[in-house]
Amino acid sequence: MADYTSAELLTINAARLLRDGDVVFVGVGLPNLACNLARRTHAPNLVMIYEAGVIGAQPTRLPLSIGDPTLVSGAISVCSMYDIFALYLQRGNIDVGFLGGAQIDRYGNINATVIGDYLHPKVRLPGSGGSMEIAAWANRCYIITPHQKRRFPEKVDFRTSAGFLGHRREREAARLRGGGPQAVVTDIGILEPDESGELILSALHPGRTIDEAKENTGWDLRVSASLRFTDPPTETELNILRNELDPGRIYLRGGE
Amino acid sequence: MSKLMPLSEAIRKYVHDGDLVYAAGFTHLIPFAAGHEIIRQHKRNLVLARATPDLIYDQMVAAGCVRKVIFSYMGNPGVGSLRVMRAEIEAGRLEWEEYSHFSMISRLQAGASGLPFMPMNPTAAGDLERVNPNYRQVIDPFSGSPVVVVPPLKPDVAIVHVQRCDAEGNAQIWGIIGEQKEAAFAAERVIVTAEEIVDESIIRSDPNRTLIPAFIVDAVCHVPYCAHPSYTQGYYDRDNEFYLSWDEISKSRQKVQEYLDEWVFGVPDRSAYWEKLGPEVHRRLRVGERLSVPVNFGSY
């Protein structure tokens, strides 16, 4: 294995999914790093929007929280929470949303609410935040997560946000404006929905195997007929991440 | 008419046992000093609403002030979970009512606008709608499509921290404006805390920045550093170190109690709390200048 952490691998592969000009609803942590990396490489015109109501942020330091003051100074606009969700997200002005959660199922539905029974929770998680709306209304959603069996059950305990529900047809019938999850980036590879909306293995990172991916997935993971390998992280990408974006290695240490 | 009064008096007068309280602020301007004063006055059976309960509600729950929480994201932002609230919910000792961010804020918007409900487009993530009967579906009479509706949230009292306001309560905020305006308009009573009390002429020099007009405000309290460990844009930084250390403190109920004894019950008010933090913390949270360019409103 070359010398990069799994957090670096996740961030770099997420950044590569972003397109120049994308308007992105950004979360803190790895999605924030991925957006900043994309802006410094292939997507200089990417616009970062935060659910705290900040549009076109240009953070000069790594924000710990989604409402950090560095997001405000130098931003294009700051609006209320109601406006960011109504005018920007619900209206259809967001190209990309990032999501994460404790559980992601076969059809890309996410649980960020509770493990076990809702009223008598075994583990009480933070809950939806904005993810219920992001998953429904952003044009494309990307999920970044470590690849572990317990995180990839056949079915989530609680559907906090919608993937393709039980089948792509069901999402279409619900007439949500967003396109749903487009890719799940893990430390083993990338899962993408097939024509039915089921997540299948579409790419492996260098050195990883199909067996590893299958062993760490809670459903019978199918493999794309056009399975590819991702390009290893480049020196340029690693340098920007390590020297400019997270020199204190707050987020990038993960998986060392 | 001046509504200036000490924070302790405002809490005594306007926050009652059993009230539905909304202490506003999305990460920014969270009125910690008011939460601490509520703890010091041993208020009981409160229903606390906030999109993000943050440490302020974790502390109030730990202090036994709270019967129920209403929220949409119960986390320590950027750090992890709110351990006290989480433990109380898992143990079945704390009632809760849960939303997504947009539906929570839509409830406030309905309350602030005097509407019977607010509509939102469906999200198809049916589980929250199944467990929370406040989510209902109606048919849009114009298109025939289903619409999700949520009822108004009408707090008994909203507490809003601002950069500056005048003695009557005309209040100006800049930076992240979250749900402050909506909380104030939705609430029955409004307590404004401010970093600075300024002359009305300063407010009038920049009217677009006034989010809350005096005539909906009941009390105005001059409370510098009210928001720490949250922040006030342009005045002091967010104390991320404290947010990280709360994650450790809140692992043990004894340590939480020691924290409350030392930092809440052990100080009479916010200015003593700020002094107690000491020059090292003051220095760490100091912020430099980045001024906006003045605009010309014109003389007519």
Side-chain angles (χ1 to χ4, degrees):
Chain A
M1 197 76 174
D3 61 341
Y4 44 81
T5 67
S6 57
E8 287 169 339
L9 184 67
L10 288 172
T11 308
I12 288 165
N13 277 280
R16 291 172 182 170
L17 296 169
L18 299 170
R19 305 169 194 162
D20 198 22
D22 271 345
V23 177
V24 186
F25 218 73
V26 190
V28 290
L30 301 188
N32 175 69
L33 288 173
C35 290
N36 276 299
L37 176 59
R39 276 205 322 162
R40 280 168 171 75
T41 51
H42 64 282
N45 301 303
L46 183 138
V47 179
M48 293 165 72
I49 294 197
Y50 289 80
E51 71 184 14
V54 182
I55 297 116
Q58 293 186 334
T60 56
R61 68 179 186 199
L62 201 54
L64 177 73
S65 80
I66 207 158
D68 194 280
T70 188
L71 303 174
V72 168
S73 297
I76 291 292
S77 175
V78 180
C79 68
S80 70
M81 247 181 118
Y82 186 82
D83 281 356
I84 203 79
F85 278 93
L87 310 184
Y88 289 82
L89 189 55
Q90 184 170 249
R91 177 70 176 86
N93 284 311
I94 303 294
D95 294 308
V96 175
F98 277 104
L99 298 166
Q103 296 180 325
I104 298 134
D105 73 16
R106 189 173 197 143
Y107 287 96
N109 306 298
I110 295 179
N111 174 16
T113 304
V114 69
I115 304 292
D117 177 57
Y118 181 75
L119 291 176
H120 306 95
K122 199 159 92 192
V123 181
R124 179 59 234 201
L125 304 163
S128 166
S131 66
M132 188 162 118
E133 288 88 16
I134 296 168
W137 303 334
N139 293 339
R140 294 149 37 214
C141 280
Y142 297 120
I143 299 163
I144 305 179
T145 180
H147 206 135
Q148 297 161 353
K149 198 163 196 159
R150 66 183 173 88
R151 289 179 181 269
F152 285 113
E154 167 85 33
K155 207 163 177 294
V156 288
D157 290 5
F158 190 96
R159 199 181 271 169
T160 309
S161 64
F164 293 101
L165 307 175
H167 192 281
R168 194 183 286 269
R169 277 194 305 272
E170 289 184 23
R171 185 176 171 108
E172 281 165 8
R175 291 196 283 184
L176 305 179
R177 66 159 315 285
Q182 307 296 301
V184 182
V185 181
T186 81
D187 48 336
I188 294 176
I190 297 175
L191 312 185
E192 287 175 358
D194 69 2
E195 62 283 352
S196 77
E198 177 178 335
L199 295 172
I200 65 171
L201 185 67
S202 62
L204 284 167
H205 298 312
R208 307 311 291 258
T209 67
I210 291 175
D211 283 348
E212 274 180 287
K214 281 175 172 281
E215 278 162 24
N216 289 288
T217 304
W219 67 86
D220 185 13
L221 181 67
R222 295 194 297 116
V223 179
S224 165
S226 51
L227 181 73
R228 62 191 178 86
F229 277 96
T230 63
D231 293 329
T234 65
E235 282 301 313
T236 310
E237 287 166 326
L238 289 169
N239 277 336
I240 294 171
L241 280 183
R242 291 171 181 175
N243 301 329
E244 292 175 37
L245 298 181
D246 187 10
R249 303 197 62 71
I250 294 168
Y251 296 108
L252 293 174
R253 198 180 295 121
E256 228 163 35
Chain B
M1 187 192 67
S2 168
K3 293 164 194 155
L4 273 171
M5 64 181 80
L7 180 59
S8 56
E9 188 186 334
I11 299 295
R12 197 167 301 118
K13 228 167 145 174
Y14 295 111
V15 180
H16 313 307
D17 287 353
D19 272 357
L20 169 51
V21 179
Y22 202 111
F26 190 89
T27 315
H28 182 209
L29 295 172
I30 301 174
F32 271 87
H36 287 185
E37 185 56 35
I38 286 170
I39 293 173
R40 272 194 292 272
Q41 293 191 18
H42 301 286
K43 302 289 182 188
R44 287 294 177 267
N45 294 315
L46 300 176
V47 178
L48 297 183
R50 265 181 67 79
T52 56
D54 210 279
L55 310 192
I56 185 177
Y57 283 3
D58 220 27
Q59 293 172 359
M60 291 166 78
V61 168
C65 305
V66 186
R67 174 174 72 80
K68 177 179 176 179
V69 287
I70 304 174
F71 66 89
S72 47
Y73 181 83
M74 191 185 66
N76 178 344
V79 178
S81 58
L82 289 176
R83 295 179 185 279
V84 177
M85 278 180 59
R86 176 181 158 180
E88 292 298 294
I89 284 178
E90 286 174 355
R93 286 191 297 261
L94 179 64
E95 293 176 53
W96 80 96
E97 189 179 306
E98 180 171 12
Y99 297 88
S100 64
H101 273 347
F102 189 47
S103 39
M104 178 85 182
I105 298 304
S106 292
R107 288 202 60 194
L108 267 187
Q109 182 82 7
S113 314
L115 283 169
F117 56 78
M118 276 299 285
M120 52 186 278
N121 284 333
T123 64
D127 281 349
L128 206 48
E129 293 171 33
R130 185 173 49 76
V131 296
N132 183 345
N134 270 340
Y135 284 95
R136 306 276 172 91
Q137 281 214 358
V138 297
I139 298 300
D140 167 6
F142 301 100
S143 72
S145 302
V147 180
V148 176
V149 296
V150 287
L153 183 64
K154 295 193 246 187
D156 295 303
V157 56
I159 305 170
V160 179
H161 186 56
V162 305
Q163 273 100 342
R164 64 187 186 195
C165 77
D166 64 22
E168 286 189 51
N170 294 302
Q172 298 193 327
I173 298 181
W174 55 97
I176 289 169
I177 54 176
E179 77 307 44
Q180 270 93 344
K181 182 177 70 177
E182 293 79 3
F185 276 92
E188 198 60 40
R189 305 183 288 276
V190 177
I191 298 172
V192 171
T193 58
E195 293 293 332
E196 294 186 77
I197 305 297
V198 298
D199 191 80
E200 187 184 318
S201 64
I202 303 224
I203 301 292
R204 288 185 182 278
S205 76
D206 197 4
N208 283 112
R209 228 181 284 280
T210 310
L211 296 194
I212 299 169
F215 58 79
I216 65 165
V217 173
D218 294 283
V220 177
C221 309
H222 184 210
V223 190
Y225 308 108
C226 175
H228 179 271
S230 169
Y231 70 99
T232 298
Q233 187 89 30
Y235 287 70
Y236 46 92
D237 204 350
R238 189 172 190 265
D239 193 347
N240 288 331
E241 279 185 27
F242 183 79
Y243 275 83
L244 289 163
S245 74
W246 182 255
D247 195 47
E248 287 303 314
I249 294 169
S250 58
K251 281 176 182 165
S252 138
R253 283 307 278 272
Q254 194 197 324
K255 278 194 189 149
V256 168
Q257 192 53 51
E258 285 166 13
Y259 173 83
L260 294 175
D261 286 343
E262 181 176 357
W263 291 93
V264 181
F265 294 109
V267 294
D269 58 18
R270 181 70 7 172
S271 85
Y273 167 98
W274 182 253
E275 277 314 304
K276 185 173 161 60
L277 282 172
E280 192 93 337
V281 174
H282 300 175
R283 215 172 7 254
R284 182 160 57 75
L285 301 179
R286 194 172 296 156
V287 296
E289 261 186 5
R290 185 158 175 176
L291 299 175
S292 69
V293 178
V295 299
N296 181 16
F297 277 92
S299 183
Y300 301 99

